[in-house]
Amino acid sequence: MNNTDAMSLTLGESKVRSRRWLVWVAAIAVPLLLPLVFRSGYALSMMCQMGIAVIFALSYNMLLGQSGLLSFGHAVYYGLGGYASIHALNAIGAGKLDFPVTLLPLIGGVTGLFFGIVFGYASTKRAGTVFAMISLGIGELMAAGSTVLPGFGGEAGISANRVTGKGLFGITYGPPVQVYYLIALWLVVSAILMYALTQTPLGRMANAVRDNPERAQFVGYNPQRVRFITLVLSAFFAGVAGGLTAINYEIVTQEYLTAHTSVTPLLMTFIGGAGYFFGPVLGAILVTFLQVVLGAYTKAWPLYMGVVFISTVLFAPQGLAGIVMQHRQVWSAGLMRRLVPAYAKVFVPACALLLGTICLVESTYHLTTEAQAGTQMSLFRIPLDVATPAPWIGAAALIAIGLYFFRRSCAAAALSWEGITAELQRRKSP
């Protein structure tokens, strides 16, 4: 390698570092500025949920994305961290514990870490299906145990008042915006620490154990030990998320330990993209938004969530982050203009297909679950009578026409992608 090549390589590495710093600066600045744009209580509540969900999803991705461990019981560390934090909050209020509320998520994190050590040593001896079933069993065991011990779990959960203890600089965590900034602070710190872990030898070996545990063992590393340490650290951050949940909602219930709660970060990670660090961030934001917004408008929101999840697994296995990275490469090559016309042709029939599906689903739900309210319903502020054939014929027509043109436009978009891929390969070849 001559001096010119070495200088070009150094400049390339410098540009990559600069871009990384810019990304992190933007990632820190955005949470700080969001309350200045979205000031309503509804928006602050949603953003608080998103911040907690991001930490929870990133902690889960340490298992699935980094180590290849599919867990159905990650809510154990989240829920136990929440319970420990809510009990500590009550102890602070009763004057039995002198501890700042700002650092309360640390109690949840340490609790998650402790139980990660207890449960992780045995469960990480095996990977794959065995680990998944063990984690599911542990989760159900702890969920049932919380009801057996009413002093710990309470009959209807444990509640507390977060406005307690010594408020520093006038911060009492009574106003929602103060709670938001507390969550944002812990989100930024946790995300930086979890990303830093991916750059350590432990993070690299976790990837090696995920891809080929036999080869990792052959070069002198114990796969079980790597999985165990990763699970313990993941449990710590899940406990931090549980502690923030206790502060945000001021109540922790048995539901936080159930398999339903464990599935939530799994959905977020798959939809966002387990192969990328920022994938769970995108997934957590999207899933939380859909849960809050769709849940307020329709009872069929779990069905829509299922459709989004299945569509992601079938058509975008790398998740939203994979789609972003594919288009980033095209954008950098200056070829995005070739995709815009093809995507425009896909967009119109896709909207027709989506609208027809929504009309069919909502009409069915109204007819079967809300029949006592009559046959009249409103969809997108359009009055419909599900007892007449018009909504059903209209929905079927939209689905049929949208599907026909969607398939044709997708074929045209695929041809555009083939041409772009060939162009990128041509540019890479010497």
Side-chain angles (χ1 to χ4, degrees):
M1 180 183 294
N2 55 36
N3 292 336
T4 304
D5 293 336
M7 185 177 297
S8 299
L9 183 61
T10 303
L11 289 174
E13 293 176 350
S14 177
K15 288 182 179 179
V16 171
R17 292 196 192 97
S18 299
R19 289 175 182 173
R20 284 183 179 176
W21 277 109
L22 287 174
V23 169
W24 278 107
V25 169
I28 294 172
V30 168
L32 296 178
L33 298 177
L34 279 177
L36 302 179
V37 180
F38 305 99
R39 304 185 179 210
S40 68
Y42 179 81
L44 282 174
S45 176
M46 183 187 298
M47 290 188 295
C48 286
Q49 294 178 58
M50 286 179 177
I52 296 170
V54 168
I55 300 175
F56 194 21
L58 284 174
S59 72
Y60 185 85
N61 195 49
M62 291 179 65
L63 295 179
L64 182 62
Q66 294 295 316
S67 306
L69 294 174
L70 177 62
S71 174
F72 292 128
H74 200 56
V76 167
Y77 314 111
Y78 171 80
L80 291 175
Y83 270 118
S85 300
I86 205 79
H87 282 294
L89 195 58
N90 281 326
I92 295 172
K96 299 178 181 178
L97 178 65
D98 186 13
F99 196 82
V101 177
T102 304
L103 300 179
L104 194 65
L106 274 180
I107 294 178
V110 172
T111 303
L113 185 144
F114 172 77
F115 283 100
I117 294 173
V118 173
F119 299 135
Y121 181 77
S123 62
T124 55
K125 287 183 179 293
R126 300 286 298 274
T129 305
V130 176
F131 174 82
M133 293 299 101
I134 292 175
S135 65
L136 178 62
I138 292 173
E140 293 303 304
L141 178 66
M142 297 307 299
S146 66
T147 60
V148 174
L149 302 173
F152 175 76
E155 295 182 0
I158 303 294
S159 60
N161 181 10
R162 65 174 179 243
V163 186
T164 187
K166 300 176 181 178
L168 298 177
F169 308 109
I171 300 175
T172 62
Y173 298 114
V177 67
Q178 293 183 2
V179 178
Y180 168 79
Y181 277 116
L182 174 67
I183 294 172
L185 172 65
W186 278 99
L187 168 61
V188 170
V189 172
S190 299
I192 291 174
L193 291 176
M194 281 186 272
Y195 179 78
L197 281 170
T198 65
Q199 307 302 308
T200 63
L202 173 64
R204 302 300 187 190
M205 284 313 304
N207 296 157
V209 169
R210 173 198 63 195
D211 298 333
N212 197 324
E214 290 80 10
R215 181 172 293 181
Q217 189 172 13
F218 180 76
V219 298
Y221 288 90
N222 186 339
Q224 189 270 337
R225 185 175 299 172
V226 173
R227 296 190 196 107
F228 172 68
I229 296 174
T230 304
L231 185 143
V232 170
L233 294 175
S234 171
F236 171 82
F237 290 107
V240 169
L244 290 170
T245 302
I247 296 174
N248 185 42
Y249 293 110
E250 299 178 290
I251 187 172
V252 176
T253 65
Q254 181 257 356
E255 184 183 356
Y256 290 13
L257 296 166
T258 60
H260 176 269
T261 304
S262 292
V263 169
T264 301
L266 173 63
L267 288 173
M268 295 173 179
T269 303
F270 262 111
I271 292 173
Y276 302 90
F277 180 80
F278 69 95
V281 178
L282 299 179
I285 293 172
L286 176 63
V287 170
T288 304
F289 178 81
L290 291 178
Q291 285 179 336
V292 174
V293 175
L294 288 181
Y297 285 98
T298 174
K299 294 181 179 180
W301 70 267
L303 187 146
Y304 295 121
M305 286 293 301
V307 171
V308 171
F309 177 70
I310 293 173
S311 301
T312 303
V313 173
L314 290 177
F315 305 111
Q318 292 185 331
L320 296 176
I323 296 174
V324 170
M325 294 306 293
Q326 283 181 329
H327 287 80
R328 176 178 175 272
Q329 185 180 10
V330 176
W331 179 276
S332 300
L335 300 174
M336 184 61 73
R337 63 183 180 276
R338 295 189 185 180
L339 285 177
V340 173
Y343 282 175
K345 293 179 181 178
V346 172
F347 179 75
V348 175
C351 289
L353 179 60
L354 179 63
L355 182 61
T357 303
I358 293 174
C359 182
L360 183 63
V361 170
E362 294 301 322
S363 298
T364 303
Y365 259 76
H366 184 84
L367 191 63
T368 56
T369 64
E370 300 181 4
Q372 70 280 0
T375 59
Q376 295 288 334
M377 62 172 285
S378 176
L379 184 64
F380 302 116
R381 297 185 179 180
I382 300 174
L384 299 175
D385 187 355
V386 296
T388 62
W392 306 95
I393 295 174
L398 283 171
I399 291 174
I401 296 172
L403 184 60
Y404 174 75
F405 287 103
F406 180 74
R407 289 171 64 92
R408 295 190 61 178
S409 58
C410 282
L415 289 176
S416 299
W417 263 106
E418 289 179 4
I420 289 174
T421 302
E423 176 67 17
L424 291 174
Q425 290 177 348
R426 186 187 65 80
R427 292 185 181 184
K428 289 180 180 178
S429 61

